[in-house]
Amino acid sequence: MNVLVTGAAGYIGSHAVRMLLDAGHQVTAIDNLSRGHWQAVDRRATFCRLDLAQTDELAEVLARSRTDCVMHFAALAYVGESVAEPLLYYHNNTAGTISLLRAMTAAGVMRMVFSSTCATYGQPEQTPIVETAPQHPINPYGWSKRFIEQILSDFAIAQPQFAFVALRYFNVAGAAADGTLGEDHRPETHLIPLVLQTALGLREAVTVFGVDYPTADGTCIRDYIHVEDLCTAHLLAMECLRPGEARFYNLGIGRGYSVREVIESARRVTGRDIAVRYGARRPGDPAVLYADATKINRELGWKPQYTELDAIVESAWRWHSSHPDGYL
Ligand code: UDP
């Protein structure tokens, strides 16, 4: 298939581009490079530096590349930043997706796999979280994605040829098996990279945000899903798209690990000491988040290959230890 990937220079998009190419698809990779790294984009893809707001240019690229399906990863994804600058998030993520849908309509492209997030659930009433759980986001980032889900649903009703799958990610982690692609956020806010950068001596210590949660060891529990397992799900989702399909799937491994367990795992994997400080809770962090991913398993046959935390951390370590400065 001809696939256009937005956010192709980002952490997840860059892994998806490579996996699509390896599976024999033709890939057009677009990114505005505001946060992504051009070095992460596989050279076999056709790269265009474009912003989602450039509707006409997007339509032209979609038509020229004879795109069959769009994989839409492009988004700003810092919760704290979204609270400080909500308009930036609604503009880039939500309005950007409207622009992309207009471009797709103009070019006659009617299939999309959309990167959504478990942040659309907010503080869950129950775990594991199922797709039918109430969606009450607690920050503009979560709302920006929740709105997109609604827009996609409405658009699918108005345009019976349109089909989409929205994948609600839990905590994406790890790196390409060969260690040549990985996570490089600036600033970095995610736990596993921060812990591994501490192991490398790039940071003095990692701060645990809260030890008084109602969990076994007092720290937050999250569902860490490997980036390659996540990308595999996108390929499966793309293949199931038929006119009129509107599907939502949770993507996690279905079990959670605590912050302390992540740090212990990193100590085992790296064989290094990792200094820890204990700090206050981070506002807006639910105690426990993990997915019920049985729906995607049942309907698309998706199963994670990485189910053990050490294996996920080990793959992230391969990237961080060989690229301490990230993409240069
Ligand atoms: N966390 C932490 N210290 C940090 C960064 C994160 O204790 O420096 C915790 C955070 O409170 C959460 C978990 O690690 O419980 C995962 O956080 P991350 O930012 O990686 O992902 P999120 O769950 O926010 O999507």
Side-chain angles (χ1 to χ4, degrees):
M1 269 203 243
N2 294 326
V3 185
L4 182 132
V5 176
T6 74
Y11 169 43
I12 302 166
S14 59
H15 286 80
V17 167
R18 182 188 281 183
M19 194 175 279
L20 284 162
L21 289 162
D22 288 346
H25 299 287
Q26 310 294 317
V27 177
T28 303
I30 73 158
D31 201 293
N32 65 7
L33 297 181
S34 69
R35 306 277 165 109
H37 307 277
W38 62 266
Q39 304 92 323
V41 182
D42 196 299
R43 300 292 177 273
R44 294 171 291 170
T46 304
F47 180 71
C48 302
R49 185 172 184 171
L50 274 183
D51 192 275
L52 292 177
Q54 294 173 268
T55 317
D56 294 344
E57 291 87 343
L58 278 174
E60 198 190 306
V61 171
L62 285 160
R64 197 181 336 126
S65 58
R66 298 176 191 279
T67 292
D68 299 301
C69 179
V70 171
M71 279 196 189
H72 180 28
F73 297 95
L76 298 174
Y78 290 114
V79 168
E81 185 182 55
S82 80
V83 174
E85 294 197 62
L87 300 185
L88 179 67
Y89 275 66
Y90 293 128
H91 175 77
N92 187 82
N93 296 1
T94 313
T97 303
I98 294 173
S99 168
L100 175 61
L101 287 169
R102 286 194 193 285
M104 288 171 64
T105 307
V109 180
M110 288 284 120
R111 279 182 272 193
M112 180 188 277
V113 180
F114 170 59
S115 296
S116 191
T117 169
C118 69
T120 60
Y121 295 113
Q123 294 272 359
E125 284 162 15
Q126 280 183 339
T127 46
I129 301 172
V130 291
E131 286 82 354
T132 49
Q135 288 181 293
H136 300 300
I138 53 171
N139 51 60
Y141 166 65
W143 276 114
S144 74
K145 294 275 184 171
R146 175 70 190 88
F147 289 143
I148 296 168
E149 289 192 358
Q150 187 63 44
I151 290 164
L152 291 174
S153 300
D154 293 342
F155 189 63
I157 292 168
Q159 290 272 354
Q161 288 304 305
F162 183 65
F164 76 92
V165 176
L167 300 172
R168 295 182 185 141
Y169 306 170
F170 283 64
N171 289 59
V172 188
D178 66 1
T180 58
L181 291 177
E183 204 166 356
D184 182 0
H185 297 116
R186 302 179 193 193
E188 189 52 79
T189 60
H190 295 106
L191 181 64
I192 292 178
L194 290 174
V195 169
L196 295 178
Q197 288 172 357
T198 308
L200 282 169
L202 300 172
R203 295 175 190 272
E204 263 178 38
V206 62
T207 302
V208 174
F209 295 148
V211 289
D212 57 349
Y213 283 97
T215 60
D217 68 16
T219 66
C220 285
I221 291 176
R222 295 287 181 271
D223 184 333
Y224 296 92
I225 171 174
H226 193 275
V227 64
E228 290 188 330
D229 283 328
L230 186 94
C231 290
T232 304
H234 286 70
L235 269 76
L236 290 171
M238 181 171 81
E239 281 154 20
C240 85
L241 286 174
R242 302 280 176 277
E245 295 276 5
R247 301 191 192 199
F248 298 89
Y249 294 113
N250 285 342
L251 266 186
I253 64 172
R255 66 162 291 189
Y257 292 98
S258 73
V259 174
R260 285 192 212 263
E261 284 176 314
V262 169
I263 295 168
E264 280 315 313
S265 167
R267 287 183 173 137
R268 277 193 301 277
V269 165
T270 65
R272 302 192 184 187
D273 189 32
I274 296 169
V276 173
R277 291 191 191 119
Y278 295 97
R281 291 183 178 197
R282 187 170 65 177
D285 262 341
V288 181
L289 286 179
Y290 65 102
D292 181 330
T294 48
K295 188 179 174 209
I296 190 163
N297 171 258
R298 192 178 59 241
E299 295 187 5
L300 302 188
W302 177 81
K303 245 203 217 136
Q305 299 300 306
Y306 288 82
T307 53
E308 295 305 316
L309 182 59
D310 281 10
I312 294 173
V313 171
E314 203 176 280
S315 109
W317 179 237
R318 230 171 286 143
W319 157 257
H320 285 286
S321 55
S322 58
H323 299 78
D325 301 317
Y327 294 103
L328 285 172

